[in-house]
């Protein structure tokens, strides 16, 4: 059956949820290279947690003070992603990615050489800003390279790099830090990021002529999109709910589930594997059914967190639930990023940056509220209870997005792939045709084949 015929007879949900019906190809090499970059950045974000005692002892500060290295990084990501996205707006994407990796490497060299805690904090902030810039531009570069039919899949692969960091990078970094000292992982990350610069220069293509038309004003117009703000709200609540519980999962496992502390890292690896699989599967399904994926993931995460709160006293069910939480809790992230790029229309870079900020803002607020519950009657189950409530809130924006999916809007993919000349030379649609088609068009603004055929001269 031809593609045209398949489209005409496809189920209603497939027609409204899938903006593009073209066959999907495997993401190109550049997407895998960008995933390597997010792997390095995901590793540096969380590896500090496994090295806190060693860093504190060497720099002669308390463990609580050393924990500021994690807080400062989160703040740098929240502020740095949109700020750097705007400052580098007129720079070629490839150059921006290379500069971000260069700053990333420099920040790690400073940390590895410094014995002053304040200087180390400043270097972590610099590293976080570079991370935010890289992540925002990498999402746009990956979506553009993969094309409309594999956009969410490509974003899922880029996000999987960070998920893989939790499974491989962070445990290896913590293990290496125990053997060669805490500075060793930072030297390694600096060297690997320098090597990644060469890969970026060889694989990321040059920008097209549309780069000249980009302006700060046009990017800021994305903030007028109500659906973009719904997506950002979903980004904050879905990650905030999951990581509110995950941040304090160790005391829950040891105090409530009775699991030995030596087994806890294996449970965390299970969560990381679930998150990795969820990112890949969610990205693949999200190209076809984005609204179904986001709603299902939000409902699944809320139910799993509720189950963890109720069954925390049983070791085996809790371990299984935590692995499933990684799958459902973080599986919709690439789809949310894809929707943000679409709804932002001609401001994909700012939209991508804002999703990075939203994810980190949700994490910071969720983990802070969860920490307050540890001293209440809820005890170590408090973070899971808080996570349940926050994750359930995700159903509000995701459902609202799905209910407004028939409203006409240009896609973010068109902004990524079309040049201004191509947009300006498109033939206009007669007014009577527009009126007849408006009620049936999807998020991408395409005309239904039946209507377009009926009005063909």
């Amino acid at each position: 059956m031809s593609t045209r015929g398949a489209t005409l007879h496809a189920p209603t949900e497939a027609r409204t949820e899938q903006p593009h019906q073209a066959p999907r190809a495997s993401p190109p090499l550049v997407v895998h290279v960008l995933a390597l970059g997010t792997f390095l950045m995901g590793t540096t974000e969380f590896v500090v947690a496994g090295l806190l005692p060693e860093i504190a002892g060497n720099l002669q500060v308390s463990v609580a003070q050393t924990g500021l290295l994690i807080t400062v990084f989160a703040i740098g990501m929240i502020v740095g992603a949109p700020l750097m996205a705007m400052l580098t707006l007129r720079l070629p994407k490839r150059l921006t990615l290379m500069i971000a990796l260069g700053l990333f490497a420099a920040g790690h060299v400073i940390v590895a050489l410094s014995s002053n805690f304040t200087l180390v904090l400043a270097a972590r902030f610099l590293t976080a800003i570079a991370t935010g810039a890289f992540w925002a531009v990498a999402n746009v570069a990956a979506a553009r390279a993969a094309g409309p039919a594999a956009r969410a899949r490509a974003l899922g692969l880029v996000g999987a790099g960070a998920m893989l960091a939790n499974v491989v990078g962070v445990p290896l970094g913590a293990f290496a830090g125990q053997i060669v000292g805490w500075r060793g992982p930072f030297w390694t990350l600096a060297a690997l990021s320098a090597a990644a610069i060469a890969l970026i220069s060889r694989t990321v293509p040059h920008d097209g002529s549309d780069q000249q038309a980009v302006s700060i004003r046009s990017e800021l117009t994305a903030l007028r999109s109500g659906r973009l703000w719904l997506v950002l709200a979903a980004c904050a609540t879905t990650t905030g709910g999951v990581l509110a519980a995950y941040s304090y999962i160790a005391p829950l496992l040891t105090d409530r589930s009775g699991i030995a502390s030596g087994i806890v890292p294996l449970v965390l690896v299970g969560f990381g594997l679930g998150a990795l699989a969820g990112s890949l599967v969610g990205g693949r399904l999200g190209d076809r059914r984005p609204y179904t994926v986001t709603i299902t993931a939000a409902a699944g995460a809320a139910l799993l967190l509720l189950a963890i709160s109720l069954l925390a006293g049983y070791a085996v069910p809790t371990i299984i639930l935590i692995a499933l939480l990684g799958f459902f809790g973080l599986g919709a992230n690439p789809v949310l990023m894809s929707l943000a790029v679409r709804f932002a229309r001609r401001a994909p870079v700012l939209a991508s940056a804002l999703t990075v900020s939203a994810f980190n803002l949700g994490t910071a607020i969720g983990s802070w509220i969860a920490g307050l519950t540890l001293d209440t009657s809820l005890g170590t189950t408090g973070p899971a209870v808080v996570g349940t409530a926050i994750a359930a809130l995700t159903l509000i924006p995701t459902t609202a997005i799905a209910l407004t999916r028939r409203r006409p809007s240009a896609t973010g993919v068109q902004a990524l792939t079309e040049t201004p000349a191509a947009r300006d030379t498109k033939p206009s649609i007669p007014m009577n045709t527009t009126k007849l088609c408006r009620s049936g068009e999807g998020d991408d603004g395409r005309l239904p084949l039946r209507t377009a055929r009926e009005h063909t001269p």
Side-chain angles (χ1 to χ4, degrees), residues 207-293:
D207 288 342
S209 59
D210 59 326
Q211 181 67 29
Q212 300 174 354
V214 176
S215 67
I216 293 179
R217 175 178 292 182
S218 65
E219 288 281 314
L220 291 177
T221 58
L223 301 180
R224 300 176 183 175
S225 171
R227 289 191 291 178
L228 172 61
W229 286 104
L230 289 173
V231 172
L232 295 177
C235 290
T237 53
T238 186
T239 309
V242 173
L243 294 187
Y246 181 76
S247 298
Y248 300 95
I249 205 68
L252 175 72
L253 292 173
T254 55
D255 297 348
R256 288 282 295 162
S257 303
I259 296 174
S261 57
I263 305 298
V264 172
L266 296 178
V267 179
L268 301 184
V269 169
F271 175 88
L273 288 172
L276 174 62
S279 182
L280 294 173
V281 173
R284 182 179 289 270
L285 296 178
D287 283 316
R288 187 171 184 83
R289 300 179 181 274
Y291 310 109
T292 300
V293 170

Side-chain angles (χ1 to χ4, degrees), residues 104-416:
F104 183 85
H108 284 76
V109 171
I110 295 173
V111 171
L113 291 174
S114 179
S115 297
N116 182 278
F117 182 68
T118 302
L119 184 58
V120 171
L121 277 177
R124 286 286 290 176
F125 187 77
L126 172 66
T127 303
I129 290 178
T131 299
F134 181 92
W135 216 309
V137 178
N139 287 334
V140 176
R144 174 180 292 174
R151 177 184 56 191
R153 182 180 177 186
L155 292 176
L157 186 58
V158 172
M163 306 303 176
L164 186 62
N166 289 321
V167 180
V168 179
V170 173
L172 283 179
F175 181 71
Q178 299 288 339
I179 298 175
V180 301
W182 67 269
R183 300 178 191 273
F186 288 91
W187 282 116
T188 302
L189 287 167
L192 291 175
S193 58
I197 294 176
L199 291 175
I200 291 292
S201 67
R202 289 178 175 273
T203 57
V204 176
H206 291 283
D207 288 342
S209 59
D210 59 326
Q211 181 67 29
Q212 300 174 354
V214 176
S215 67
I216 293 179
R217 175 178 292 182
S218 65
E219 288 281 314
L220 291 177
T221 58
L223 301 180
R224 300 176 183 175
S225 171
R227 289 191 291 178
L228 172 61
W229 286 104
L230 289 173
V231 172
L232 295 177
C235 290
T237 53
T238 186
T239 309
V242 173
L243 294 187
Y246 181 76
S247 298
Y248 300 95
I249 205 68
L252 175 72
L253 292 173
T254 55
D255 297 348
R256 288 282 295 162
S257 303
I259 296 174
S261 57
I263 305 298
V264 172
L266 296 178
V267 179
L268 301 184
V269 169
F271 175 88
L273 288 172
L276 174 62
S279 182
L280 294 173
V281 173
R284 182 179 289 270
L285 296 178
D287 283 316
R288 187 171 184 83
R289 300 179 181 274
Y291 310 109
T292 300
V293 170
T294 53
I295 293 175
T296 301
L303 291 174
L304 287 167
L305 285 165
L306 177 62
I308 290 173
S309 303
L310 298 175
L311 301 175
Y314 303 92
V316 174
T318 301
I319 293 173
I320 296 173
L321 290 170
I322 290 173
L324 291 174
L325 179 64
F327 183 87
F328 283 92
L330 302 180
N333 286 4
V335 186
L336 291 171
M337 290 186 289
S338 176
L339 290 175
V341 169
R342 182 195 306 177
F343 296 152
R345 305 205 294 184
R346 298 185 183 182
V349 176
L350 180 59
S352 177
L354 289 174
T355 60
V356 174
S357 295
F359 285 133
N360 284 274
L361 180 63
T363 299
I365 295 176
S367 59
W368 172 66
I369 297 175
L372 297 178
T373 64
L374 293 174
D375 295 328
T376 68
S377 59
L378 294 173
T380 55
T381 61
V385 174
V386 170
T388 302
I390 297 177
L393 291 176
T394 309
L395 290 170
I396 298 176
T398 52
T399 302
I401 293 168
L403 292 176
T404 60
R405 66 189 179 192
R406 288 182 178 271
R407 292 171 54 188
S409 66
T411 64
V413 175
Q414 291 172 328
L416 294 177

